[in-house]
Amino acid sequence: MTPTDLPPVRGKLLLNEPLGPYTWFRVGGAAEALFIPADADDLADFLKALDPAVPVTVLGVGSNVIVRDGGVEGVVIRLAGRAWGQVAAEDDTITAGAGALDAMVAKASARAGIAGLEFYAGIPGTIGGALTMNAGCYGAETKDVLVSAWGLNRRGERVEFGLADFGYTYRHSEAPAEIIWIEATYRGTPDAPAAVQARIDEITSRREQTQPIREKTGGSTFKNPPGHSSWKLVDEAGWRGKLHAVTGGGAKFSELHSNFMINPGEATAADIEALGEAVRADVLEKTGVQLDWEIRRIGRPG
């Protein structure tokens, strides 16, 4: 891919850009092209002019993704910067850009005295990702507070979605995968700012005590199968803290939380994904329960 293959932009357009530094695992190959749009109009114009045959992949803050070692074909779009992270409160609603960190949205809700979005303090990602997968934790999910969202389809056209249009279930949305979310509106309930902040502080403290947030990790590795907790299945299969060296630096499931994979050194994307597959196979053999990935895996094998 060369600059002449791509439409002109006002934002940043980088060719053969390594994606490892953009992910929490710090692994993976390069994007053929990485586009960081200046704003929604820049993105819309780019999509309208882009050859429909060119693959498009959206990458947030890289907190819940493995970029494979062979890199990502086509254009990777990253919504980063002030234009994408705006958060505003009015009455009992919060409006947030797709690039806003979930934790920042929770904090904004506390300042505005709006309860209901505290759980976002426990999710290490952005609003765009939360919309895509109905992100949630500690008994609450995106569907519980979302009112509506809008985004751009592959042709650069604006599309509007109300809550019912998402067809949300556990960690799943029926919205077309091609949509790049731009902004979401949430509704909570009025409460004292100090009370909302206290609940956020409790979630933050609990997360720090129970999750390896200072490691190179990807958050929850597997979804919870019906009637089961993934961390218990991984733990009971004997994988907590067990190093699984495949091709080099190895990877392992955290001693602190057995549903969190970590890169303790110089693991490759192949090491990390192979560990996840090994654990899935072992748990299935020992318990008959199928673990499904919650972490996205994108790109080509090395």
Side-chain angles (χ1 to χ4, degrees):
M1 186 172 291
T2 68
T4 57
D5 298 325
L6 299 169
V9 302
R10 289 183 287 109
K12 293 182 179 180
L13 189 56
L14 308 170
L15 299 183
N16 299 314
E17 178 71 5
L19 292 176
Y22 296 92
T23 74
W24 284 28
F25 274 124
R26 296 293 188 267
V27 299
E32 283 192 279
L34 175 65
F35 177 36
I36 304 175
D39 50 38
D41 289 339
D42 191 27
L43 176 57
D45 291 342
F46 179 84
L47 291 171
K48 289 173 183 175
L50 184 65
D51 183 342
V54 175
V56 170
T57 303
V58 179
L59 180 67
V61 290
S63 60
N64 194 238
V65 64
I66 298 170
V67 176
R68 295 186 174 112
D69 299 311
V72 182
E73 183 182 3
V75 178
V76 174
I77 295 173
R78 187 169 189 260
L79 307 184
R82 184 174 299 178
W84 300 100
Q86 298 296 319
V87 183
E90 183 177 355
D91 298 327
D92 60 352
T93 64
I94 292 281
T95 301
L101 292 172
D102 299 329
M104 294 298 102
V105 174
K107 291 179 180 179
S109 73
R111 291 193 297 270
I114 299 173
L117 285 81
E118 295 93 334
F119 71 97
Y120 268 157
I123 301 175
T126 60
I127 291 301
L131 292 171
T132 299
M133 65 178 296
N134 186 24
C137 64
Y138 304 132
E141 295 178 303
T142 295
K143 69 177 180 61
D144 300 329
V145 286
L146 182 68
V147 175
S148 62
W150 71 272
L152 298 171
N153 64 19
R154 183 61 175 77
R155 297 178 298 281
E157 301 164 337
R158 178 170 173 145
V159 289
E160 306 266 356
F161 271 66
L163 173 61
D165 298 322
F166 281 89
Y168 277 141
T169 52
Y170 173 66
R171 301 297 178 268
H172 177 74
S173 166
E174 292 294 332
E178 70 166 12
I179 294 176
I180 301 174
W181 299 110
I182 304 298
E183 188 176 78
T185 299
Y186 300 90
R187 177 171 290 114
T189 56
D191 199 355
V196 179
Q197 186 61 53
R199 291 191 289 272
I200 289 174
D201 292 343
E202 182 179 349
I203 289 171
T204 301
S205 175
R206 179 177 174 183
R207 182 167 171 254
E208 289 177 346
Q209 293 173 20
T210 60
Q211 299 177 10
I213 60 175
R214 291 175 178 81
E215 302 275 5
K216 291 184 284 187
T217 185
S220 295
T221 303
F222 305 119
K223 301 175 185 178
N224 289 324
H228 298 274
S229 294
S230 289
W231 75 266
K232 288 184 179 179
L233 292 167
V234 175
D235 198 22
E236 290 169 0
W239 287 94
R240 181 189 291 266
K242 183 178 178 181
L243 190 67
H244 185 65
V246 180
T247 59
K252 66 178 182 179
F253 276 82
S254 168
E255 292 93 341
L256 193 60
H257 194 306
S258 53
N259 195 31
F260 278 59
M261 284 194 294
I262 62 173
N263 174 7
E266 300 302 323
T268 64
D271 291 333
I272 297 168
E273 188 169 9
L275 169 61
E277 290 297 338
V279 171
R280 291 180 72 231
D282 194 40
V283 168
L284 181 61
E285 180 180 354
K286 291 176 177 176
T287 68
V289 178
Q290 178 71 65
L291 291 172
D292 291 327
W293 285 91
E294 183 166 323
I295 289 178
R296 282 198 310 153
R297 289 97 60 227
I298 62 174
R300 302 166 292 201

